[in-house]
Amino acid sequence: MIAYLIRRLLYALPILLGVNLLTFALFFLVNTPDDMARLHLGVKRVTPDAVEKWKAARGYDKPLFVNARADGLGKVTDTIFFDKSLSMFAFHFGVSDDDRDIANEIKTRMWPSLAIALPTFVIGLMVNVSVALILIFFRRTYVEWSGVVALVALMSVSGLFYIIGGQFLFAKVWQLAPISGYQSGLNAARFVWLPILVGIVGGVGSGARWYRTLFLEEANKDYVRTARAKGLSETAVLFRHILKNGMVPILTGAVAVFPLLFMGSLILESFFGIPGLGSYTINAINSQDFAIVRAMVFLGAVLYIVGLILTDVSYTLVDPRVRLS
Amino acid sequence: MRPVLLWTDGLIFLLVAGLIAFVVLVRRHEHLRAPWRKVAANPVAVAAAIVLLFFTAIAILDSVHFRLALPAGPSGAVHYSPEVKSVLDVLSGPLAEQQEKSYSAPFATHLFSRETVTLPDGRQLRTYPRLRYGGASLHDPERGRSGDILMRTAEGLAGGALVWLMLWLGLKPVYGKAASRRTIANTLLALCLISGFLVALATHYHVFGTDKVGQDVLYITLKSIRTGVLIGALTTLVTLPLSIGLGVSAGYFGGRVDDAVQYLYTTLNAIPGVLLIAAAVLIMQTQLESHPGWFETGTERADLRLLFLCLILGMTSWTGLARLLRGETLKVRELDYVMAARAFGVSDVRILLRHILPNIQHIVLISVVMDFSGLVLAEAVLSYIGVGVDPTMSSFGNMINGARLELAREPVVWWQLAAAFVFMFVLVLSANLFADSVQDAMDPRSRRNA
Amino acid sequence: MRPVFISLLLFLSACSGPVNDPYPASEFGKSIFYSAFTEPPKHLDPARSYSSNETPFTGQIYEPPLQYHYLKRPYQLVPLAATAVPAPHYFDSSGRELPSTAPASEISESVYEIHIQPGIEYQPHPAFALDKSKNPVYMPMPSDVLGRVGAIPDFPRQGSRELTADDYVYQIKRLASPRLQSPIAGLMANYILGFDSLSEKLNSAAKTQKGWLDLRQFPLAGVETVNRYTYWIRVKGKYPQFVYWLAMPFFAPMPWEVDAFYSQPGMADKNLTLDNWPVGTGPYMLTVNQPNRQMRLVRNPNFRGEPYPSQGEPGDAAAGLLADAGKPMPFIDEAVYSLESETIPYWNKFLQGYYDASGISSDNFDQAVRTGAGGDVELSPEMKEKGIQLRTTVAASSFYMGFNMLDPVVGGLDDRHRKLRQAISIALDEEEYIAIFANGRGIPAQGPLPPGLFGYRDGQAGINPVVYDWTGGKPHRKSISSARRLLAEAGYPDGRDGVTGKPLTLNFDTASHGPDDKARLDWLRKQFRKLNIELVIRGTDYNRFQDKMRDGTEQIFEWGWNADYPDPENFLFLLYGPNKKVGSGGENAANYQNPEFDRLFVRMKDMANGPERQAVIDQMVQIVRQDAPWSFGFHPKNYGLRHSWVKNAKPNLMANNELKYLRIDAAARETARARWNRPDWLGPILAVLVLLLALVPAWRAYQRKLQASAR
């Protein structure tokens, strides 16, 4: 098991390196350090001299990959690539272009993101599974048919409409929630329930439909038919067999995306003014803060790989036939 | 008049040609036809397909572009207007030109917000001015409006019914005695009635109101359809070669190729999609900036941006299908007759074309129709983040984005959001329903379950 | 979804007070000013801060020598930390003092002697904390402290000390520091004696020396401490506008202890920098800095209690603005600024009483304001009912559309190109723009100078004869046919090249891509179409746009300028040739260079306000109107709304330290909030009922199924 984990982790390294190279190439092709300097020094009274100084202060005046002027190891280490990209493997994200420490920022912004993403995910999962089960239960009745149509209709609505509509109704018209903002601690509940609700409703269409097909597949398997033929009640079949076996792919799938919850939801957070990692990323994209975007890309990749490993592990836990070798 | 072939126009025509070729192919081979029969027997699928065709028709009409010739200049050389128009622009006639000053509600005769007007006697009055075009034919909009609207509605419905009748009779050889001809009739009737209603009223009223600069919202919505359909369709055009090529070769050749392809798509997958797209879109903008020679008019520029957006979306979304195809190819490769063919020394290319591809085509097909709706929805989100289509281009994302601010007004300006919602919903819903039934018909697994 | 929803309802009904209150219950009824910021402030260091989103904080914390009088108009400089507004002493090149009437050409140096008030104390700060033997507690930083603190208020030991002239001198030297890259370093190098050489010395020192650079070791020739409370600034030549800079945070005091404190290793990693944790002598200090969420200013306990002004404009007394005359400021205990990056929530929260003040965006305009006959504005009944107050001012700013004068098509000073620009200036219907996008909140610009500045002319004398006619006592934009005529004279009859017949296509470069921009860009294209000119929008990101402006590859662009100080020089220098963006990186974005204009500018710059200066300015404005390097846009009018519980509010475009003057009636605010935020439970309950109803058939189907299986 441990040997397996180590092997997976070693396998993750080249992927992370690839991600790193790719983003580095993308970001330093698009925006030369000169551009970043002018963006951040502001519009008024910026001289070329100030740009040079800005670059020097941030180490952006170094060559990209090879420093011909340095000696020995410095040829490789005294470069932008080494400074800005490779150091991320040690989770040294450096400072954002407005001089704030990125790792610090990630630490504080993680919690608001989780406060929304985690309940949305967990409650959403429960709601989706329940709806799917209800539909399976009423198989071949008009309840199922109309339920499926409703789900397809729900998933045909752009997520933006859910957010706009939810904010408009609950916060503006009914005044049941603050329109936007966030407070830490217990006070957070007042701010997060609406985004969570919107997130759940927005996800129920595709989620419940997908789980329904999983359960349906299970319900059509031979052992279920046998169980039913044996005279097991429909409810017992549903919970003891279909739910239990259908949950395997659902849970392992959930494990894969679980780490990514840390990244938060880009749009939900920016609409509701939640100071999480999602809105951090959006702001970084808009203000072209490449240090942050690079850090978030790397973090996302790391979390993705963690998810992959967790999935493998969880397979062995729920299905004894799978052996890690 | 000089025809203008924008990049995306060319590609969409290519796609249509490919589609026609595919249909011909399917009609020739019974084993390919069978699943489609099943699709055709499903009334929901047929209705969805007709609606989709209708949207596609609008998109294609809007993809035939040209520039009008200007009156001859002093040197005698012919020059063309820099304004690129499409057939849809011509067909929608006055819609594009009938620009009001600012917001007006659906079917309104007056502007939505008050303005200071100077009366003939020099006095100034803060009031709702009359619209220049909306209900302009009415002398007394207070009393005449509802009667006029009713009259025109009746005319439009009658016209729609007439067109439907002619269509129904004209199309008889096509649908023949198909099981779902009732559905076809009903769907066509609904479409004809709605179109008739819109045609009859849109020329005299702003059916969906006007936006902030007074443009007719119905016109913007019609123009947005092309963007949505193109993003959905062209992206898959980009995706397919990549995912088929890489996915199938990974599964078929295995070994190093497999490792390389797997590494490639795991790496790409590991990067959060939106970030990758945002970065790529920023690069694209730089490229467009540094090559002003690539385009002559603003339309061509926006079009290039759309093309690049499709390319980028394609580049980042081929991984899912590639993974599926790799798995399926692995299975197909082990089938007896494929093994036999290999043992006989049949060339790889031949095996791929004759045996592998036909066996995986249903997966490709399902993924194409499934992805379509997702891409239409993605466009809206990307435009919100600011990495979507060109801001001068009409698109659902741009519409929603603009309409978001309007919802904060008091009284609320709701019509632009509503129009975007309705059209986008119908488009995505019919795409989803169609995709569902295609999957039902094609996927052997679900076929077994049914 | 049902169980979730019901538990939510239970949870919400358990809360007291309005359920949508975004603030914690502990703040109920306190004297707190609530406002918002739309973009996180980046630099709160006085040497670097130059953005308008930073001044709400820097203005309350730092005290430069001077400030603008809060009530008096026209704007007038009065002492803040200084004892008086300094008058310059002029010297010629041989060091002889000249009378104040001496001509500018003879003056080689102006000396400003600034006296500061004794007894001013800094806010509590760990940098000042001393132990029993008078040594700093946190310098060097004890190793165990940094791990335990996350913010400046977390330090257990805080101290203070008296403000001295040295602190002002130290800050001016900081402006020259290469590590800080002060945005005004380049400008000050032109004016302050020895600034250049200090900058160079610091540059080389910064390369060899890591960590804190003790600026006290580096002399600056032009700035000297005379005694504990007095210092001199020596300015090259005559620069009458210099005194305005003394009212900006750039010239606020900075104690060396603070600089040394923040320069210690490990501080920056914890965001413990001057950009995040400013230190000053002002009425407020920053206690919470979460730029992604909230900023909080708290009353500085060491503040000396500056008295509220006892004089104002006529009418101020009647408006109740002098009720607090002579009382020690500040009146409000705390100010909470929340991040609100979008206009919708900002406006709605203002209406709900959760923000004390707000502007009006064009989307809310009709809800907030009614314009009466004759263009006078008043609040809508809904606003009046809430007791909201409206204040309008014309901002000291100017928006314009610029033509790149280096461009072969729209640039050039010859008659042909000039006429093309004039034609476009006429076609751009700024009146319509103001009506649609600003709801009439702005006045069309007749030249580069905004009203309220010296040199601006009103009425018929002030109209731009190129674009406007004066008829019936009002300016009227010239007809589109006259624009077409000009276009034809420029060689483009009917928008087509007179020789080749090719239609004219122009490029508009912009960095905007927000939702509201599309409407604006559409409008702009519509304007050009009036002349049969096709306008191509070249949208790009902000970086690229800046690039283009710097390289001069743009064609037409939009730009604006906010006054740094109320002097016409601050606007006319935007057109001064040597300030060109291309090549010299200046602020002359249109790259306009007219020798006659430049000659007049040099003359005007040093003149005292008076008829002579007015005459020169008139000439300059006339030249610019004819050359039309800008299509003059408009000067925006600021409409500010305040709730009735905010007292002593008077808009002041120059002052940025308004918070200390304000007073809040917290009890009135709580009553209003409770009244305006009654939650509407009926809607959601109905929604839940509908959902339940939808489940009824399912329930019945279930019953039937049960019966079927029972049978």
Side-chain angles (χ1 to χ4, degrees):
Chain A
M1 182 79 180
I2 290 177
Y4 169 81
L5 277 183
I6 289 174
R7 226 154 40 89
R8 284 306 302 229
L9 283 175
L10 284 181
Y11 177 62
L13 269 183
I15 293 179
L16 285 182
L17 195 67
V19 169
N20 213 314
L21 267 174
L22 185 71
T23 50
F24 179 82
L26 279 181
F27 289 133
F28 282 84
L29 268 179
V30 187
N31 269 52
T32 60
D34 282 52
D35 296 322
M36 300 187 219
R38 265 187 302 280
L39 184 71
H40 291 96
L41 291 176
V43 200
K44 285 189 171 188
R45 306 184 199 282
V46 177
T47 58
D49 196 34
V51 171
E52 285 308 313
K53 285 176 181 165
W54 188 91
K55 275 162 56 186
R58 252 143 264 256
Y60 281 147
D61 55 343
K62 295 174 185 171
L64 285 181
F65 290 103
V66 181
N67 192 344
R69 271 182 298 166
D71 306 314
L73 207 58
K75 274 201 192 318
V76 193
T77 56
D78 205 16
T79 58
I80 296 188
F81 180 67
F82 190 86
D83 263 15
K84 306 290 169 197
S85 255
L86 288 184
S87 58
M88 285 208 268
F89 283 100
F91 290 97
H92 287 308
F93 295 129
V95 293
S96 61
D97 291 336
D98 56 353
D99 287 333
R100 293 182 74 84
D101 187 60
I102 295 177
N104 219 335
E105 199 81 356
I106 290 178
K107 261 180 248 156
T108 53
R109 281 176 175 267
M110 200 171 77
W111 303 111
S113 274
L114 276 182
I116 294 205
L118 200 62
T120 310
F121 180 70
V122 173
I123 303 176
L125 190 73
M126 294 190 317
V127 170
N128 292 350
V129 167
S130 328
V131 172
L133 276 184
I134 293 176
L135 293 183
I136 294 288
F137 186 78
F138 292 111
R139 217 158 352 130
R140 300 198 191 87
T141 65
Y142 63 95
V143 175
E144 186 198 24
W145 184 82
S146 51
V148 171
V149 169
L151 290 184
V152 176
L154 278 177
M155 70 183 268
S156 302
V157 177
S158 168
L160 296 172
F161 286 112
Y162 288 113
I163 303 178
I164 296 172
Q167 203 172 30
F168 181 73
L169 275 183
F170 284 91
K172 195 187 167 197
V173 179
W174 294 334
Q175 307 200 321
L176 292 175
I179 286 157
S180 67
Y182 188 77
Q183 300 264 335
S184 43
L186 269 182
N187 284 320
R190 241 182 311 162
F191 296 87
V192 298
W193 73 263
L194 183 56
I196 292 174
L197 182 73
V198 167
I200 293 171
V201 173
V204 80
S206 52
R209 218 169 73 100
W210 167 237
Y211 294 155
R212 176 182 157 267
T213 49
L214 289 180
F215 287 139
L216 206 59
E217 214 167 279
E218 211 59 45
N220 285 321
K221 281 191 177 154
D222 290 339
Y223 74 94
V224 178
R225 290 170 198 230
T226 323
R228 207 177 279 134
K230 276 196 308 193
L232 221 55
S233 82
E234 189 64 19
T235 340
V237 171
L238 197 65
F239 284 101
R240 253 184 250 159
H241 293 292
I242 299 181
L243 177 63
K244 204 175 142 206
N245 289 306
M247 280 311 275
V248 172
I250 292 178
L251 284 183
T252 45
V255 167
V257 297
F258 194 77
L260 286 171
L261 292 182
F262 281 91
M263 305 287 289
S265 155
L266 292 181
I267 299 192
L268 215 50
E269 283 182 16
S270 76
F271 260 99
F272 285 99
I274 309 287
L277 287 177
S279 52
Y280 191 45
T281 315
I282 286 237
N283 292 342
I285 291 176
N286 286 335
S287 65
Q288 310 199 332
D289 195 323
F290 294 90
I292 298 177
V293 178
R294 273 202 312 271
M296 296 307 289
V297 165
F298 189 77
L299 190 69
V302 170
L303 292 173
Y304 175 84
I305 287 161
V306 171
L308 282 189
I309 297 175
L310 284 181
T311 318
D312 286 348
V313 174
S314 63
Y315 261 120
T316 58
L317 296 183
V318 294
D319 191 344
R321 282 171 303 176
V322 181
R323 283 270 167 274
L324 299 178
S325 51
Chain B
M1 195 175 88
R2 186 173 80 176
V4 176
L5 191 69
L6 299 177
W7 276 98
T8 52
D9 295 346
L11 288 173
I12 197 86
F13 292 137
L14 202 70
L15 199 69
V16 169
L19 219 60
I20 292 171
F22 182 71
V23 168
V24 170
L25 189 80
V26 167
R27 285 181 74 92
R28 290 228 187 103
H29 299 277
E30 181 52 34
H31 69 280
L32 291 177
R33 250 176 113 165
W36 286 108
R37 278 231 181 82
K38 243 173 105 176
V39 174
N42 184 346
V44 177
V46 171
I50 292 177
V51 176
L52 274 183
L53 274 179
F54 185 71
F55 274 102
T56 316
I58 294 179
I60 289 176
L61 283 182
D62 202 9
S63 296
V64 183
H65 287 105
F66 50 84
R67 282 159 68 175
L68 289 175
L70 294 170
S75 62
V78 183
H79 285 281
Y80 296 93
S81 154
E83 204 181 351
V84 178
K85 291 199 157 214
S86 75
V87 174
L88 183 77
D89 291 332
V90 176
L91 286 182
S92 56
L95 275 190
E97 264 90 60
Q98 294 188 348
Q99 243 190 38
E100 307 292 348
K101 191 165 178 192
S102 189
Y103 288 119
S104 70
F107 297 109
T109 53
H110 291 82
L111 269 187
F112 186 64
S113 47
R114 267 182 268 242
E115 253 177 36
T116 314
V117 284
T118 314
L119 296 178
D121 58 359
R123 275 189 310 131
Q124 288 198 321
L125 192 66
R126 185 87 178 159
T127 180
Y128 301 100
R130 261 306 276 279
L131 291 184
R132 240 172 286 165
Y133 302 100
S137 57
L138 300 174
H139 289 296
D140 182 6
E142 294 290 309
R143 278 185 293 157
R145 193 178 66 145
S146 35
D148 188 56
I149 291 176
L150 271 181
M151 271 296 294
R152 289 184 196 280
T153 309
E155 276 171 27
L157 294 183
L162 203 70
V163 171
W164 170 74
L165 206 65
M166 293 191 317
L167 263 181
W168 184 240
L169 294 176
L171 284 177
K172 191 143 198 164
V174 180
Y175 60 81
K177 286 210 164 81
S180 47
R181 59 179 189 278
R182 267 184 91 108
T183 322
I184 298 179
N186 291 337
T187 318
L188 277 181
L189 180 62
L191 284 178
C192 284
L193 289 182
I194 293 172
S195 312
F197 169 75
L198 288 180
V199 168
L201 280 152
T203 42
H204 292 82
Y205 293 93
H206 300 288
V207 178
F208 281 112
T210 55
D211 73 353
K212 189 160 188 165
V213 282
Q215 280 195 51
D216 191 284
V217 173
L218 176 65
Y219 177 70
I220 304 175
T221 320
L222 286 178
K223 297 290 278 182
S224 301
I225 290 174
R226 175 177 186 265
T227 315
V229 170
L230 254 62
I231 287 203
L234 290 189
T235 303
T236 47
L237 199 69
V238 179
T239 323
L240 287 187
L242 271 176
S243 41
I244 295 179
L246 293 174
V248 170
S249 46
Y252 183 76
F253 296 109
R256 286 278 162 81
V257 181
D258 192 15
D259 287 344
V261 173
Q262 281 205 59
Y263 174 71
L264 195 61
Y265 71 58
T266 320
T267 306
L268 273 180
N269 252 352
I271 302 178
V274 182
L275 291 180
L276 193 56
I277 293 170
V281 167
L282 294 177
I283 286 202
M284 164 196 84
Q285 281 172 322
T286 333
Q287 291 301 314
L288 285 185
E289 274 324 303
S290 40
H291 299 91
W294 288 356
F295 41 83
E296 216 175 305
T297 60
T299 320
E300 286 176 20
R301 190 197 140 83
D303 178 74
L304 261 186
R305 194 171 158 161
L306 177 68
L307 176 71
F308 278 118
L309 186 67
C310 291
L311 283 177
I312 291 164
L313 280 171
M315 291 300 223
T316 52
S317 63
W318 61 270
T319 53
L321 180 58
R323 193 199 301 250
L324 277 180
L325 289 180
R326 173 181 164 273
E328 196 66 21
T329 313
L330 275 176
K331 270 189 237 159
V332 175
R333 193 177 64 161
E334 305 301 320
L335 290 179
D336 291 342
Y337 64 96
V338 181
M339 300 279 266
R342 279 166 77 176
F344 281 118
V346 180
S347 76
D348 284 338
V349 178
R350 213 175 148 75
I351 295 180
L352 282 174
L353 284 179
R354 292 298 295 268
H355 301 301
I356 308 278
L357 272 186
N359 272 304
I360 57 166
Q361 58 101 11
H362 67 278
I363 294 190
V364 176
L365 215 65
I366 292 171
S367 118
V368 167
V369 286
M370 299 275 273
D371 283 354
F372 179 85
S373 56
L375 288 165
V376 176
L377 293 177
E379 186 272 322
V381 170
L382 290 180
S383 294
Y384 170 75
I385 306 177
V387 292
V389 296
D390 197 87
T392 57
M393 196 161 194
S394 303
S395 85
F396 289 126
N398 283 339
M399 279 179 81
I400 297 174
N401 224 342
R404 207 162 52 83
L405 297 175
E406 294 165 359
L407 216 53
R409 292 178 73 106
E410 192 80 32
V412 174
V413 172
W414 48 269
W415 43 90
Q416 189 164 199
L417 198 68
F421 176 81
V422 168
F423 275 73
M424 202 174 164
F425 179 68
V426 171
L427 176 62
V428 177
L429 183 67
S430 42
N432 274 333
L433 291 173
F434 185 68
D436 263 10
S437 49
V438 169
Q439 187 179 23
D440 279 348
M442 300 276 167
D443 195 348
R445 242 187 353 188
S446 63
R447 201 187 300 168
R448 190 172 356 110
N449 296 342
Chain C
M1 208 178 92
R2 235 183 336 147
V4 187
F5 206 89
I6 290 168
S7 62
L8 269 174
L9 290 186
L10 287 176
F11 163 78
L12 287 173
S13 53
C15 298
S16 59
V19 284
N20 60 356
D21 189 345
Y23 305 114
S26 55
E27 292 179 6
F28 188 86
K30 289 198 177 148
S31 165
I32 301 179
F33 178 74
Y34 291 105
S35 186
F37 55 103
T38 51
E39 212 184 312
K42 280 186 179 156
H43 303 297
L44 298 178
D45 184 330
R48 308 177 72 175
S49 166
Y50 201 9
S51 298
S52 55
N53 65 332
E54 290 151 4
T55 49
F57 307 105
T58 53
Q60 325 311 322
I61 294 165
Y62 296 116
E63 290 194 310
L66 307 179
Q67 65 180 337
Y68 289 92
H69 194 282
Y70 184 55
L71 300 173
K72 286 186 187 164
R73 302 289 181 276
Y75 296 109
Q76 189 185 334
L77 282 174
V78 292
L80 178 58
T83 53
V85 178
H89 297 272
Y90 298 123
F91 295 91
D92 66 10
S93 47
S94 57
R96 223 159 20 108
E97 178 152 8
L98 297 168
S100 59
T101 51
S105 53
E106 284 177 26
I107 298 171
S108 90
E109 196 176 292
S110 329
V111 175
Y112 292 81
E113 186 176 274
I114 299 154
H115 301 272
I116 55 164
Q117 303 170 32
I120 296 179
E121 295 264 318
Y122 281 100
Q123 66 174 73
H125 193 271
F128 302 121
L130 301 177
D131 59 15
K132 283 187 199 111
S133 45
K134 299 280 174 201
N135 290 322
V137 179
Y138 298 114
M139 276 182 283
M141 185 68 66
S143 53
D144 56 330
V145 175
L146 272 186
R148 280 181 283 130
V149 297
I152 287 300
D154 297 345
F155 283 90
R157 297 281 301 276
Q158 312 260 340
S160 177
R161 77 157 166 81
E162 194 192 13
L163 166 75
T164 66
D166 283 328
D167 303 336
Y168 285 96
V169 175
Y170 194 86
Q171 165 68 6
I172 297 173
K173 290 179 185 169
R174 289 183 80 238
L175 297 178
S177 168
R179 288 186 184 163
L180 291 169
Q181 300 145 24
S182 173
I184 62 163
L187 188 86
M188 285 303 140
N190 295 339
Y191 290 115
I192 297 180
L193 267 174
F195 197 89
D196 265 336
S197 63
L198 174 68
S199 203
E200 270 160 39
K201 267 184 227 144
L202 290 178
N203 209 354
S204 52
K207 278 190 189 122
T208 53
Q209 198 179 335
K210 296 266 177 223
W212 180 44
L213 269 187
D214 187 353
L215 299 182
R216 290 174 299 174
Q217 314 297 330
F218 296 85
L220 170 54
V223 183
E224 247 173 278
T225 314
V226 179
N227 60 40
R228 192 174 164 86
Y229 302 113
T230 311
Y231 65 105
W232 277 351
I233 303 178
R234 289 159 68 194
V235 170
K236 294 179 203 164
K238 184 179 175 183
Y239 182 40
Q241 290 84 20
F242 183 74
V243 70
Y244 293 118
W245 289 101
L246 295 178
M248 292 166 79
F250 291 116
F251 286 84
M254 185 49 60
W256 67 268
E257 296 97 320
V258 171
D259 199 26
F261 174 80
Y262 283 125
S263 304
Q264 299 179 86
M267 301 290 281
D269 291 345
K270 306 211 69 176
N271 292 338
L272 296 174
T273 63
L274 203 49
D275 270 335
N276 292 299
W277 296 103
V279 186
T281 58
Y284 291 94
M285 56 189 194
L286 192 68
T287 58
V288 174
N289 180 349
Q290 296 173 321
N292 52 52
R293 203 181 297 181
Q294 198 183 70
M295 311 280 283
R296 191 176 279 257
L297 294 175
V298 174
R299 181 196 281 268
N300 169 9
N302 300 336
F303 188 62
R304 62 188 178 282
E306 186 192 352
Y308 188 89
S310 47
Q311 285 177 330
E313 269 188 306
D316 281 351
L321 286 169
L322 288 174
D324 285 321
K327 290 186 191 158
M329 300 188 288
F331 304 116
I332 296 173
D333 293 335
E334 271 184 61
V336 173
Y337 298 83
S338 310
L339 177 66
E340 204 67 87
S341 43
E342 304 229 353
T343 54
I344 302 174
Y346 195 134
W347 174 247
N348 285 329
K349 282 185 187 169
F350 171 71
L351 288 187
Q352 292 170 338
Y354 295 126
Y355 288 131
D356 293 330
S358 169
I360 312 176
S361 81
S362 76
D363 286 315
N364 323 119
F365 189 79
D366 275 6
Q367 184 186 7
V369 176
R370 295 272 179 274
T371 313
D376 51 319
V377 286
E378 59 168 14
L379 285 168
S380 65
E382 184 195 351
M383 300 292 125
K384 276 187 190 155
E385 193 265 324
K386 291 195 165 199
I388 291 170
Q389 298 153 358
L390 170 75
R391 308 268 175 178
T392 67
T393 38
V394 179
S397 32
S398 200
F399 287 100
Y400 62 89
M401 203 165 91
F403 301 99
N404 179 10
M405 296 300 280
L406 304 176
D407 186 87
V409 181
V410 300
L413 284 176
D414 57 310
D415 202 41
R416 221 191 116 173
H417 291 108
R418 187 184 291 154
K419 280 186 170 149
L420 171 63
R421 293 192 297 269
Q422 290 178 349
I424 295 173
S425 299
I426 296 174
L428 277 174
D429 190 348
E430 293 295 336
E431 285 78 9
E432 186 178 286
Y433 183 92
I434 295 168
I436 296 181
F437 295 98
N439 314 92
R441 284 171 300 166
I443 51 174
Q446 305 288 348
L449 294 179
L453 247 55
F454 179 81
Y456 174 81
R457 274 186 186 276
D458 218 352
Q460 186 170 8
I463 68 159
N464 179 0
V466 174
V467 178
Y468 288 92
D469 290 321
W470 185 267
T471 44
K474 271 165 77 177
H476 282 277
R477 185 168 287 272
K478 287 192 186 211
S479 67
I480 199 72
S481 56
S482 65
R484 290 212 184 98
R485 206 160 43 242
L486 279 171
L487 191 66
E489 286 167 27
Y492 300 100
D494 205 23
R496 298 171 62 187
D497 193 307
V499 182
T500 64
K502 222 179 149 195
L504 180 60
T505 303
L506 295 178
N507 294 310
F508 181 74
D509 293 278
T510 176
S512 47
H513 59 263
D516 220 22
D517 295 326
K518 184 174 158 29
R520 268 186 39 239
L521 298 176
D522 283 347
W523 179 85
L524 209 56
R525 284 163 63 185
K526 202 165 115 185
Q527 305 305 308
F528 278 78
R529 222 169 284 145
K530 287 194 252 175
L531 295 177
N532 282 334
I533 300 176
E534 170 82 1
L535 187 71
V536 176
I537 310 286
R538 292 200 295 207
T540 179
D541 60 48
Y542 193 67
N543 282 348
R544 297 284 143 213
F545 178 67
Q546 291 278 68
D547 261 1
K548 280 197 209 166
M549 296 296 289
R550 194 177 39 99
D551 300 342
T553 54
E554 85 280 6
Q555 197 166 41
I556 304 178
F557 60 95
E558 268 178 331
W559 207 262
W561 185 259
N562 284 325
D564 284 325
Y565 42 80
D567 191 275
E569 182 258 0
N570 196 241
F571 279 87
L572 293 173
F573 93 116
L574 300 173
L575 291 160
Y576 179 52
N579 266 341
K580 273 197 292 196
K581 191 126 215 149
V582 176
S584 53
E587 289 303 335
N588 181 351
N591 303 306
Y592 172 66
Q593 188 157 21
N594 182 322
E596 177 63 10
F597 181 92
D598 292 350
R599 195 182 59 77
L600 289 168
F601 177 81
V602 174
R603 235 184 103 200
M604 179 279 306
K605 176 165 83 87
D606 302 328
M607 291 168 89
N609 285 349
E612 202 187 341
R613 195 178 196 210
Q614 178 74 57
V616 178
I617 291 175
D618 285 347
Q619 272 186 58
M620 294 173 74
V621 170
Q622 216 49 255
I623 292 173
V624 176
R625 283 172 181 159
Q626 285 302 326
D627 282 345
W630 297 359
S631 168
F632 304 110
F634 65 102
H635 311 295
K637 270 189 213 165
N638 287 348
Y639 279 38
L641 295 179
R642 274 174 204 276
H643 281 299
S644 56
W645 54 76
V646 183
K647 315 287 186 198
N648 295 343
K650 178 168 179 175
N652 186 318
L653 297 168
M654 287 299 148
N656 49 24
N657 54 358
E658 294 160 297
L659 187 59
K660 62 184 176 189
Y661 302 99
L662 299 182
R663 179 193 285 286
I664 294 277
D665 183 351
R669 175 166 64 192
E670 294 307 341
T671 355
R673 281 182 182 176
R675 203 172 63 239
W676 297 340
N677 291 290
R678 297 212 179 100
D680 180 358
W681 294 107
L682 196 67
I685 289 173
L686 275 179
V688 172
L689 277 181
V690 167
L691 260 182
L692 288 179
L693 273 178
L695 288 179
V696 165
W699 179 251
R700 284 172 55 189
Y702 174 67
Q703 294 287 340
R704 231 174 293 140
K705 212 164 179 174
L706 274 189
Q707 281 164 12
S709 59
R711 236 178 265 143

